[in-house]
Amino acid sequence: MLQPGALIRIKAPQKMGKTLLLEKLLDYARQQGYQTAKLDLKLADSSAIADLKTFLRGEVPRH
């Protein structure tokens, strides 16, 4: 988690503690001096997340 570019995938059925685990991971990162942000991708336009590299750079897709 503390390596640059690290990716953590959390996958489990509903009501299995994913949100609690995520909150604990974010809290740990904050304790290590990292800034954190939470995104709700359910609200994102599908074109905004279609290209992973563009999404990770925070660029807005042009139509």
Side-chain angles (χ1 to χ4, degrees):
M1 177 173 124
L2 299 179
Q3 295 179 3
L7 177 66
I8 298 173
R9 180 178 179 186
I10 301 172
K11 185 177 177 180
Q14 291 182 349
K15 304 292 182 183
M16 293 297 292
K18 297 180 297 291
T19 302
L20 179 61
L21 176 60
L22 177 61
E23 291 297 330
K24 288 183 179 206
L25 288 169
L26 291 173
D27 187 49
Y28 177 74
R30 284 185 214 104
Q31 291 174 9
Q32 301 303 308
Y34 289 88
Q35 293 181 348
T36 64
K38 291 191 279 186
L39 304 174
D40 186 347
L41 298 179
K42 290 184 273 184
L43 303 175
D45 182 310
S46 61
S47 65
I49 59 174
D51 179 25
L52 180 62
K53 288 183 181 180
T54 302
F55 172 72
L56 293 175
R57 283 194 302 260
E59 297 174 5
V60 177
R62 309 245 185 243
H63 297 287

